Amino acid sequence: MTGFSSLPKQEHWTTARLGTVAEKIVDGSHNPPPKVDNGRPMLSARNIEWGRIEFSGHREIADGAFKRERGRTDVQAGDVLLTIVGTIGRAAVVTEAMPEFTLQRSVALLRLRGVDPRFCMYQLLSESTQDWL
């Protein structure tokens, strides 16, 4: 497999709690502002798919509310999103190409240090983690 030849052998791997490799773990707004017809995106669990973020059908919120809500999560490229309400365990990585958005309570944000976000996402989506969740 291309790209995996440099990985250490599995017997040299270790496990770690997310809290030890995460710089930030936070969920989205617990009291989302009202919807508006033309505003800024606020995503919920329904927007987080298995490995991707879907922007259709999201809530739009006013600019002022967006700035307040964004202060809580400060979503950045490389953050891992994990659904924690409804269908628990769907995960995706935020990319540079995505517009700025904020989150509702049904989604947790994981900002990692020293761990590739895609690796974390694939671990979260693995059968063993999904069974545990």
Side-chain angles (χ1 to χ4, degrees):
M1 287 197 246
T2 305
F4 292 105
S5 60
S6 64
L7 285 174
K9 292 181 181 179
Q10 191 169 2
E11 63 262 19
H12 299 289
W13 290 26
T14 187
T15 58
R17 291 181 165 274
L18 276 175
T20 63
V21 296
E23 178 180 313
K24 182 177 192 171
I25 300 176
V26 65
D27 61 353
S29 176
H30 288 240
N31 190 18
K35 292 180 185 179
V36 297
D37 289 336
N38 191 13
R40 307 285 298 274
M42 178 177 238
L43 306 185
S44 70
R46 72 175 173 216
N47 301 106
I48 312 307
E49 299 291 334
W50 303 101
R52 68 185 182 87
I53 299 171
E54 177 59 54
F55 281 88
S56 64
H58 64 270
R59 172 190 292 255
E60 300 261 329
I61 60 174
D63 278 342
F66 180 83
K67 288 175 186 165
R68 282 189 305 280
E69 296 296 338
R70 182 124 168 110
R72 177 178 170 78
T73 55
D74 186 32
V75 180
Q76 298 176 14
D79 289 341
V80 178
L81 304 182
L82 176 67
T83 59
I84 57 174
V85 172
T87 303
I88 296 171
R90 291 187 307 231
V93 176
V94 178
T95 68
E96 300 248 349
M98 294 177 180
E100 285 189 328
F101 60 92
T102 191
L103 300 168
Q104 291 187 42
R105 180 182 93 71
S106 58
V107 182
L109 176 145
L110 311 170
R111 182 163 304 141
L112 308 167
R113 31 170 209 268
V115 176
D116 185 307
R118 293 167 302 161
F119 178 80
C120 179
M121 177 190 74
Y122 289 126
Q123 289 299 308
L124 292 169
L125 295 175
S126 72
E127 185 177 347
S128 60
T129 301
Q130 289 294 305
D131 287 346
W132 181 81
L133 290 170

